[in-house]
Amino acid sequence: MSLYENTQKLINRAADTMELSEEVRKVVNEPERVLSVNFHIHRDDGKIQMVKGFRVQHNTLRGPAKGGVRFHPRVDMGEVKALAGWMTIKCAVVDIPYGGSKGGVEIDPRDLSEGELEQVTRQFTQAIAPIIGPRRDVPAPDVYTNAKIMNWIADEYHCVHPNEDDYLAVVTGKSLDNGGSLGRDSATAAGGVIVLESYLKKTGEELKGKTVAIQGFGNAGHHAARILAEKGAKIVAVTDSKGGIYVENGFDPMKAHSCKLEKGGIGECLTEAGSNGGEEKKISNEDILALECDILVLAALENQITEANVNAVKAKVVVELANGPITPEAHETLENKGTTVIPDILANAGGVTVSYYEWEQNLRHEKWTEEAVAEKLEKSQRQAFEDVDKVKDEFKTDYRNASYILALRRIESAFEEKHSGKAHGFSCMTE
Ligand code: NAD
């Protein structure tokens, strides 16, 4: 099943449970706008290379479209459509006034020089400039894109629209000296930990002393490890794309992260992280999913837990910081065996929430402190958990389905408001 079919399956499962109207079901099953672009760059060796890119605006009933841009050699339209759909749902779960979108460029940025990367970014921005804008569609970083790339997008957009005073708000995830927000870097992980703590509180437990394994040790994964360790959890295992480490008595994730940056892979850091008495060994990405631990955090890629390996999962709680790391079928198996899954659209929504704060700061020409951002994020994620939890109890369902139901209810009321008998003049359809 493709990633897009997964998204539709999850939307339709919730739509069935809540008996969503047929009109809204149709609206959320198809993206509003799909743009496919082709452009060319000059490689440093003198050759011209064609590059393909995509921008999908899934839905804008609740506000401007919002979603990252992914640079990846295997990105395709289906994946971008799926990710755009998840953004619509995610923004509605945390009740921020955005719709959902996503972009992708079919390129491996690791093969490009800095100048080539800048050309790709600027050409792509030119190609999608007619449909993005501070109040239309606001990109952000995703896999293999970063603050520097976001700065180039803002700058190129300004070249195309020189009269747009609020041009910095066309993109979030910018660097701090170019309109970025304090607290954006760690927001995804921080938001996930807030939801996890809210869940544990509800079940009468706490983070202190819990053993945690984390798949993926990039932005989301390493900040999650740091925050969880600061709150007293015991980090026993982490992996990255090349493998990882298990240290029975726990280790300092920041020491391990410095070693990863130095040596290029966390798998090479057993000596630096371990040597504290218990069992210590190198592990693979399959091993980490099957570890005996209290909490498993998925912070790498899509489709990591599938029907093929789900029965090996032993953690009682699985937190999805990555988008779509568990297939719908594997999710059903986990729920049936009593594992609680904190779903992506709730767990990793801290990232887009602080992106929204960045956008607000840009539009109001303000700069908020890190404490103010953290406080707002904490309140927002706690509220989102409580809202989802109420729906979960109402429908006696799991957290994933409850999150979708909550989001679809909010999208349905925006749909109803839009079509609430207001007579549209046919000479001008804009609001
Ligand atoms: P990143 O590129 O910083 O880190 C990804 C990590 O995953 C790296 O450590 C990489 O080595 C590892 N990895 C790659 N393939 C792997 C594999 N097969 N097995 C184990 N590890 C593997 O990316 P990130 O920003 O941390 O994003 C991670 C996930 O979180 C993605 O699914 C992303 O869409 C999602 N996410 C991130 C944010 C954010 O703000 N960073 C927000 C929402 C969702």
Side-chain angles (χ1 to χ4, degrees):
M1 190 179 280
S2 74
L3 210 58
Y4 188 55
E5 285 165 338
N6 281 356
T7 309
Q8 287 180 314
K9 189 169 178 175
L10 296 170
I11 288 175
N12 288 325
R13 179 181 170 226
D16 289 343
T17 314
M18 68 187 286
E19 298 179 5
L20 184 70
S21 73
E22 275 311 305
E23 293 98 324
V24 180
R25 187 191 288 255
K26 276 186 199 146
V27 165
V28 290
N29 262 287
E30 290 299 333
E32 281 175 13
R33 182 178 278 132
V34 167
L35 177 65
S36 176
V37 299
N38 294 288
F39 53 91
H40 44 266
I41 59 161
H42 294 261
R43 297 299 302 254
D44 293 344
D45 62 8
K47 295 202 176 100
I48 304 284
Q49 183 178 336
M50 284 294 294
V51 182
K52 192 176 261 314
F54 313 97
R55 185 78 188 165
V56 174
Q57 294 166 353
H58 176 261
N59 192 277
T60 54
L61 277 167
R62 302 186 72 257
K66 183 84 187 82
V69 175
R70 176 173 289 201
F71 284 2
H72 198 279
R74 287 188 309 278
V75 78
D76 61 35
M77 181 60 97
E79 181 180 327
V80 176
K81 275 165 72 176
L83 293 161
W86 280 331
M87 286 305 296
T88 301
I89 300 290
K90 194 184 299 185
C91 293
V93 171
V94 289
D95 207 11
I96 53 178
Y98 279 148
S101 57
K102 205 79 181 187
V105 178
E106 200 184 291
I107 193 116
D108 192 340
R110 292 165 298 189
D111 286 348
L112 302 178
S113 68
E114 169 127 348
E116 291 170 336
L117 188 62
E118 183 170 351
Q119 275 190 68
V120 167
T121 307
R122 288 184 181 275
Q123 297 268 17
F124 179 62
T125 308
Q126 290 256 357
I128 64 168
I131 66 161
I132 62 171
R135 290 174 185 79
R136 297 190 76 185
D137 181 5
V138 183
D142 192 69
V143 175
Y144 295 144
T145 54
N146 54 26
K148 190 193 285 177
I149 293 175
M150 299 307 115
N151 291 346
W152 287 330
I153 292 178
D155 189 58
E156 191 62 29
Y157 179 80
H158 196 208
C159 297
V160 181
H161 297 282
N163 299 325
E164 171 62 84
D165 290 339
D166 289 325
Y167 75 94
L168 277 179
V170 72
V171 63
T172 59
K174 303 176 293 291
S175 62
L176 284 177
D177 58 2
N178 192 41
S181 177
L182 287 161
R184 174 62 187 88
D185 241 24
S186 54
T188 301
V193 175
I194 293 164
V195 173
L196 175 61
E197 275 187 307
S198 304
Y199 165 72
L200 291 174
K201 192 170 164 207
K202 181 189 148 120
T203 57
E205 295 179 83
E206 57 174 13
L207 265 177
K208 205 165 171 18
K210 292 268 182 298
T211 52
V212 181
I214 303 179
Q215 189 203 41
F217 206 41
N219 178 289
H222 101 269
H223 280 299
R226 174 183 57 78
I227 299 167
L228 288 164
E230 282 166 5
K231 288 178 177 283
K234 189 158 85 171
I235 311 300
V236 294
V238 293
T239 54
D240 61 22
S241 58
K242 298 179 201 142
I245 54 172
Y246 169 75
V247 178
E248 186 186 9
N249 288 338
F251 58 91
D252 174 352
M254 291 323 282
K255 231 164 96 185
H257 190 247
S258 308
C259 169
K260 173 187 157 74
L261 293 181
E262 197 182 306
K263 297 194 175 172
I266 189 65
E268 303 310 311
C269 298
L270 191 55
T271 316
E272 286 76 359
S275 308
N276 58 16
E279 189 190 354
E280 296 163 5
K281 59 184 177 185
K282 284 193 177 196
I283 54 169
S284 69
N285 267 302
E286 273 303 304
D287 297 337
I288 199 166
L289 302 177
L291 266 187
E292 208 57 84
C293 61
D294 298 316
I295 297 161
L296 173 63
V297 178
L298 302 173
L301 297 173
E302 304 86 19
N303 294 336
Q304 294 302 298
I305 299 183
T306 64
E307 279 172 294
N309 60 9
V310 63
N311 286 319
V313 175
K314 297 185 191 67
K316 297 278 166 298
V317 181
V318 182
V319 182
E320 295 184 321
L321 282 188
N323 287 309
I326 305 176
T327 63
E329 296 73 20
H331 177 251
E332 210 176 311
T333 307
L334 286 175
E335 289 289 340
N336 288 341
K337 67 175 185 170
T339 310
T340 298
V341 176
I342 312 283
D344 46 10
I345 50 170
L346 173 64
N348 71 28
V352 73
T353 301
V354 175
S355 275
Y356 167 60
Y357 300 158
E358 177 178 333
W359 180 76
E360 270 201 297
Q361 290 171 73
N362 294 157
L363 290 176
R364 296 180 188 186
H365 303 278
E366 291 176 359
K367 195 92 195 154
W368 302 352
T369 64
E370 192 156 3
E371 292 71 32
V373 170
E375 204 177 300
K376 277 172 85 76
L377 176 64
E378 169 118 21
K379 209 167 150 203
S380 169
Q381 287 293 97
R382 283 201 191 288
Q383 186 63 52
F385 175 78
E386 275 172 34
D387 294 346
V388 169
D389 199 47
K390 263 196 211 131
V391 176
K392 178 181 184 289
D393 288 347
E394 182 186 339
F395 288 94
K396 303 203 174 5
T397 188
D398 53 76
Y399 281 114
R400 192 188 307 281
N401 205 28
S403 302
Y404 274 85
I405 292 171
L406 175 67
L408 290 174
R409 270 186 178 165
R410 288 176 173 160
I411 294 164
E412 188 172 38
S413 63
F415 179 86
E416 280 165 1
E417 197 178 319
K418 187 179 166 101
H419 297 284
S420 60
K422 270 191 282 169
H424 277 299
F426 287 105
S427 57
C428 177
M429 293 294 286
T430 50
E431 304 279 313

